[in-house]
Amino acid sequence: MQHSALINVMIAAARKAARTLKRDFGEVENLQVSLKGPGNFVTAADRKAEETLKTELIKARPGYGFLGEESGTTAGTDPSNTWIVDPLDGTTNFLHGIPQFAISIGLERSGTVVAGVIYNPITDELFVAERGKGAFLNDRRLRVAARKQLGDSVIACGLPHLGRGDLELGLRELSAIQSKVAGLRRFGAAALDLAFVAAGRLDGYWERNLQPWDMAAGILLVREAGGFVTDLDGNSDGMFTKRHIVAGNETIQRELQTLLKAAA
Ligand code: IPD
Ligand code: CA
Ligand code: CA
């Protein structure tokens, strides 16, 4: 499949970082049995992946700024272009030897995400989107699912847990959605949750307490696959500032957003 030069740069960076990440994941699986666990090792793997991504992306587009989960903001000489990168989305899964994690790279241009790549090194699934040019999984064009009934829908979410999020609110939201859907999932990698919505595997997804690097590439993927994304108040450009998101096809997204808003 023929991609633009920009997407090729992003894919090359993702594949390079993925090689080490995949090796490190194999090592993490071995470390599970040790009492200390693989915690420090995973932190190092995460940082290493970001360093590779940052080096490769800045080498290819020297003026662009960089926002990464591990290293924060690096200003570029070109203020209109910024890479938004999560080197390892799904850290808890990675740490536990669960192969549901990904590298996520978005490019924000003048306030809009114009390119996104999400890559799972274990399944070798490469999700790619460019603004106005569609969304793809490997070489296959993606469309969001067409289901119109919540009762037929499988929905993913994020859940509060020890030390993170508002448990009471989370429970209210769960009970608002749980009784109305065919199935709920909590996979633990926001970038892949969004990629799965784009691929029509999931009918919808919502989560609170996210960061731009969790969502940037995924938002574009869903939209380029014909889906809708807003924050939980229904604004289509509030996700990065409000830090919450709801995605799906037009009908499911709207219904989820309405139910969640009423539960909040
Ligand atoms: C996390 C994952 C997870 C979501 C968390 C994120 P990380 O990212 O996307 O699914 O529930 O809110 O922080 O820490 O694994 O990069
Ligand atoms: Ca993340
Ligand atoms: Ca991360």
mmCIF file of all heavy atoms in Angstrom, residues 4 34 37 42 55 57 59 81 83 87 95 107 112 126 135 150 161-162 164 171 186 189 191 204 221 230:
data_model
loop_
_atom_site.group_PDB
_atom_site.id
_atom_site.type_symbol
_atom_site.label_atom_id
_atom_site.label_comp_id
_atom_site.label_asym_id
_atom_site.label_seq_id
_atom_site.Cartn_x
_atom_site.Cartn_y
_atom_site.Cartn_z
ATOM 1 N N SER A 4 1.839 8.301 2.164
ATOM 2 C CA SER A 4 2.565 9.554 1.954
ATOM 3 C C SER A 4 3.934 9.467 2.644
ATOM 4 O O SER A 4 4.152 8.626 3.521
ATOM 5 C CB SER A 4 1.770 10.716 2.551
ATOM 6 O OG SER A 4 1.810 10.630 3.952
ATOM 7 N N SER A 34 9.857 -13.385 39.257
ATOM 8 C CA SER A 34 10.738 -12.865 40.302
ATOM 9 C C SER A 34 9.926 -12.019 41.276
ATOM 10 O O SER A 34 8.936 -11.379 40.898
ATOM 11 C CB SER A 34 11.872 -12.029 39.697
ATOM 12 O OG SER A 34 11.412 -10.738 39.427
ATOM 13 N N GLY A 37 9.584 -8.359 40.552
ATOM 14 C CA GLY A 37 8.757 -8.076 39.386
ATOM 15 C C GLY A 37 9.491 -7.216 38.372
ATOM 16 O O GLY A 37 10.590 -6.731 38.628
ATOM 17 N N VAL A 42 10.376 -2.294 33.031
ATOM 18 C CA VAL A 42 9.357 -1.755 32.123
ATOM 19 C C VAL A 42 9.532 -0.247 31.961
ATOM 20 O O VAL A 42 9.443 0.282 30.848
ATOM 21 C CB VAL A 42 7.932 -2.109 32.610
ATOM 22 C CG1 VAL A 42 6.875 -1.353 31.822
ATOM 23 C CG2 VAL A 42 7.697 -3.601 32.507
ATOM 24 N N THR A 55 14.088 10.501 18.490
ATOM 25 C CA THR A 55 15.255 10.646 17.605
ATOM 26 C C THR A 55 14.850 10.498 16.139
ATOM 27 O O THR A 55 15.207 11.324 15.291
ATOM 28 C CB THR A 55 16.323 9.571 17.950
ATOM 29 O OG1 THR A 55 16.606 9.678 19.337
ATOM 30 C CG2 THR A 55 17.593 9.743 17.148
ATOM 31 N N LEU A 57 11.835 10.696 14.683
ATOM 32 C CA LEU A 57 10.863 11.677 14.172
ATOM 33 C C LEU A 57 11.517 13.035 13.989
ATOM 34 O O LEU A 57 11.283 13.727 12.987
ATOM 35 C CB LEU A 57 9.661 11.773 15.121
ATOM 36 C CG LEU A 57 8.784 10.512 15.183
ATOM 37 C CD1 LEU A 57 7.773 10.585 16.326
ATOM 38 C CD2 LEU A 57 8.054 10.277 13.858
ATOM 39 N N LYS A 59 14.709 13.553 13.505
ATOM 40 C CA LYS A 59 15.662 13.447 12.388
ATOM 41 C C LYS A 59 14.941 13.654 11.049
ATOM 42 O O LYS A 59 15.423 14.367 10.158
ATOM 43 C CB LYS A 59 16.326 12.054 12.430
ATOM 44 C CG LYS A 59 17.509 11.895 11.501
ATOM 45 C CD LYS A 59 18.350 10.686 11.885
ATOM 46 C CE LYS A 59 17.603 9.413 11.508
ATOM 47 N NZ LYS A 59 18.257 8.186 11.999
ATOM 48 N N ASN A 81 3.629 22.494 13.876
ATOM 49 C CA ASN A 81 3.631 21.024 13.815
ATOM 50 C C ASN A 81 4.204 20.419 15.094
ATOM 51 O O ASN A 81 5.314 20.752 15.500
ATOM 52 C CB ASN A 81 4.493 20.548 12.640
ATOM 53 C CG ASN A 81 3.788 20.733 11.317
ATOM 54 O OD1 ASN A 81 2.816 20.039 11.018
ATOM 55 N ND2 ASN A 81 4.254 21.702 10.532
ATOM 56 N N TRP A 83 4.593 16.525 17.111
ATOM 57 C CA TRP A 83 4.359 15.087 17.291
ATOM 58 C C TRP A 83 3.773 14.871 18.675
ATOM 59 O O TRP A 83 4.244 15.469 19.643
ATOM 60 C CB TRP A 83 5.675 14.304 17.212
ATOM 61 C CG TRP A 83 6.419 14.411 15.920
ATOM 62 C CD1 TRP A 83 7.615 15.024 15.713
ATOM 63 C CD2 TRP A 83 6.028 13.861 14.655
ATOM 64 N NE1 TRP A 83 7.991 14.894 14.393
ATOM 65 C CE2 TRP A 83 7.033 14.187 13.729
ATOM 66 C CE3 TRP A 83 4.917 13.120 14.219
ATOM 67 C CZ2 TRP A 83 6.966 13.794 12.387
ATOM 68 C CZ3 TRP A 83 4.852 12.737 12.893
ATOM 69 C CH2 TRP A 83 5.866 13.071 11.997
ATOM 70 N N PRO A 87 4.908 6.184 23.785
ATOM 71 C CA PRO A 87 5.809 5.119 23.328
ATOM 72 C C PRO A 87 5.303 3.729 23.717
ATOM 73 O O PRO A 87 5.658 2.734 23.090
ATOM 74 C CB PRO A 87 7.118 5.413 24.068
ATOM 75 C CG PRO A 87 6.695 6.157 25.308
ATOM 76 C CD PRO A 87 5.476 6.956 24.902
ATOM 77 N N LEU A 95 3.400 -4.825 31.575
ATOM 78 C CA LEU A 95 4.014 -5.246 32.834
ATOM 79 C C LEU A 95 3.547 -6.629 33.268
ATOM 80 O O LEU A 95 4.285 -7.387 33.885
ATOM 81 C CB LEU A 95 3.643 -4.208 33.901
ATOM 82 C CG LEU A 95 4.174 -4.353 35.315
ATOM 83 C CD1 LEU A 95 5.676 -4.124 35.349
ATOM 84 C CD2 LEU A 95 3.496 -3.336 36.226
ATOM 85 N N LEU A 107 0.324 13.385 14.683
ATOM 86 C CA LEU A 107 0.920 14.672 14.305
ATOM 87 C C LEU A 107 -0.169 15.728 14.339
ATOM 88 O O LEU A 107 -1.166 15.624 13.617
ATOM 89 C CB LEU A 107 1.548 14.613 12.904
ATOM 90 C CG LEU A 107 2.088 15.980 12.441
ATOM 91 C CD1 LEU A 107 3.291 16.431 13.285
ATOM 92 C CD2 LEU A 107 2.463 15.966 10.954
ATOM 93 N N THR A 112 -4.952 20.698 14.759
ATOM 94 C CA THR A 112 -5.716 19.542 14.277
ATOM 95 C C THR A 112 -4.791 18.348 14.089
ATOM 96 O O THR A 112 -3.688 18.513 13.554
ATOM 97 C CB THR A 112 -6.356 19.867 12.896
ATOM 98 O OG1 THR A 112 -7.107 21.068 13.041
ATOM 99 C CG2 THR A 112 -7.265 18.758 12.416
ATOM 100 N N LEU A 126 -0.884 -2.747 12.268
ATOM 101 C CA LEU A 126 -0.474 -1.364 12.052
ATOM 102 C C LEU A 126 -1.698 -0.563 11.599
ATOM 103 O O LEU A 126 -2.240 -0.808 10.512
ATOM 104 C CB LEU A 126 0.608 -1.325 10.970
ATOM 105 C CG LEU A 126 1.129 0.045 10.557
ATOM 106 C CD1 LEU A 126 1.981 0.661 11.673
ATOM 107 C CD2 LEU A 126 1.945 -0.062 9.271
ATOM 108 N N ALA A 135 -8.672 5.619 6.862
ATOM 109 C CA ALA A 135 -7.978 4.875 7.914
ATOM 110 C C ALA A 135 -7.760 3.447 7.432
ATOM 111 O O ALA A 135 -8.605 2.888 6.716
ATOM 112 C CB ALA A 135 -8.816 4.874 9.184
ATOM 113 N N LEU A 150 -27.852 -0.025 20.690
ATOM 114 C CA LEU A 150 -26.938 -0.281 21.812
ATOM 115 C C LEU A 150 -27.023 -1.738 22.248
ATOM 116 O O LEU A 150 -26.033 -2.342 22.644
ATOM 117 C CB LEU A 150 -27.301 0.616 23.003
ATOM 118 C CG LEU A 150 -26.599 1.948 23.142
ATOM 119 C CD1 LEU A 150 -26.985 2.589 24.472
ATOM 120 C CD2 LEU A 150 -25.078 1.798 23.067
ATOM 121 N N HIS A 161 -9.405 2.838 39.196
ATOM 122 C CA HIS A 161 -8.789 1.766 39.988
ATOM 123 C C HIS A 161 -8.000 2.407 41.115
ATOM 124 O O HIS A 161 -7.967 3.647 41.227
ATOM 125 C CB HIS A 161 -7.921 0.853 39.114
ATOM 126 C CG HIS A 161 -6.932 1.586 38.279
ATOM 127 N ND1 HIS A 161 -5.723 1.995 38.750
ATOM 128 C CD2 HIS A 161 -7.007 2.026 36.989
ATOM 129 C CE1 HIS A 161 -5.077 2.626 37.797
ATOM 130 N NE2 HIS A 161 -5.830 2.677 36.712
ATOM 131 N N LEU A 162 -7.361 1.603 41.929
ATOM 132 C CA LEU A 162 -6.654 2.098 43.112
ATOM 133 C C LEU A 162 -5.800 3.325 42.785
ATOM 134 O O LEU A 162 -4.917 3.256 41.924
ATOM 135 C CB LEU A 162 -5.761 0.980 43.669
ATOM 136 C CG LEU A 162 -5.033 1.285 44.975
ATOM 137 C CD1 LEU A 162 -6.026 1.514 46.110
ATOM 138 C CD2 LEU A 162 -4.076 0.153 45.321
ATOM 139 N N ARG A 164 -6.625 6.031 41.253
ATOM 140 C CA ARG A 164 -6.866 6.733 40.000
ATOM 141 C C ARG A 164 -8.346 6.798 39.638
ATOM 142 O O ARG A 164 -9.012 5.755 39.556
ATOM 143 C CB ARG A 164 -6.112 6.004 38.888
ATOM 144 C CG ARG A 164 -6.246 6.731 37.577
ATOM 145 C CD ARG A 164 -5.338 6.137 36.546
ATOM 146 N NE ARG A 164 -5.504 6.855 35.318
ATOM 147 C CZ ARG A 164 -4.537 7.076 34.467
ATOM 148 N NH1 ARG A 164 -3.333 6.628 34.731
ATOM 149 N NH2 ARG A 164 -4.767 7.725 33.359
ATOM 150 N N LEU A 171 -18.817 4.020 38.769
ATOM 151 C CA LEU A 171 -19.889 3.032 39.000
ATOM 152 C C LEU A 171 -21.220 3.529 38.433
ATOM 153 O O LEU A 171 -21.986 2.763 37.850
ATOM 154 C CB LEU A 171 -20.020 2.741 40.501
ATOM 155 C CG LEU A 171 -18.872 1.920 41.093
ATOM 156 C CD1 LEU A 171 -18.995 1.831 42.620
ATOM 157 C CD2 LEU A 171 -18.820 0.517 40.491
ATOM 158 N N ARG A 186 -12.868 -3.956 28.997
ATOM 159 C CA ARG A 186 -11.871 -3.027 29.526
ATOM 160 C C ARG A 186 -10.526 -3.635 29.138
ATOM 161 O O ARG A 186 -10.026 -4.532 29.808
ATOM 162 C CB ARG A 186 -12.024 -2.957 31.043
ATOM 163 C CG ARG A 186 -11.466 -1.717 31.711
ATOM 164 C CD ARG A 186 -10.015 -1.427 31.515
ATOM 165 N NE ARG A 186 -9.621 -0.306 32.379
ATOM 166 C CZ ARG A 186 -8.736 0.608 32.035
ATOM 167 N NH1 ARG A 186 -8.154 0.564 30.843
ATOM 168 N NH2 ARG A 186 -8.399 1.557 32.875
ATOM 169 N N ALA A 189 -5.686 -0.339 26.965
ATOM 170 C CA ALA A 189 -4.794 0.442 26.093
ATOM 171 C C ALA A 189 -5.684 1.354 25.249
ATOM 172 O O ALA A 189 -6.280 0.922 24.246
ATOM 173 C CB ALA A 189 -3.941 -0.453 25.206
ATOM 174 N N ALA A 191 -5.248 3.751 23.122
ATOM 175 C CA ALA A 191 -4.979 3.930 21.692
ATOM 176 C C ALA A 191 -5.571 2.765 20.897
ATOM 177 O O ALA A 191 -6.185 2.959 19.832
ATOM 178 C CB ALA A 191 -3.471 4.039 21.443
ATOM 179 N N GLY A 204 -18.337 1.116 20.326
ATOM 180 C CA GLY A 204 -18.163 2.392 21.009
ATOM 181 C C GLY A 204 -17.143 2.269 22.125
ATOM 182 O O GLY A 204 -16.722 1.161 22.489
ATOM 183 N N LEU A 221 -8.016 8.194 13.602
ATOM 184 C CA LEU A 221 -8.398 6.885 13.043
ATOM 185 C C LEU A 221 -9.920 6.715 13.019
ATOM 186 O O LEU A 221 -10.493 6.320 11.999
ATOM 187 C CB LEU A 221 -7.769 5.764 13.864
ATOM 188 C CG LEU A 221 -6.446 5.244 13.300
ATOM 189 C CD1 LEU A 221 -5.569 4.684 14.384
ATOM 190 C CD2 LEU A 221 -6.705 4.188 12.233
ATOM 191 N N THR A 230 -16.271 12.782 20.563
ATOM 192 C CA THR A 230 -16.416 14.037 21.312
ATOM 193 C C THR A 230 -15.908 13.812 22.736
ATOM 194 O O THR A 230 -15.592 12.687 23.110
ATOM 195 C CB THR A 230 -17.899 14.503 21.419
ATOM 196 O OG1 THR A 230 -18.630 13.590 22.245
ATOM 197 C CG2 THR A 230 -18.574 14.621 20.065
#
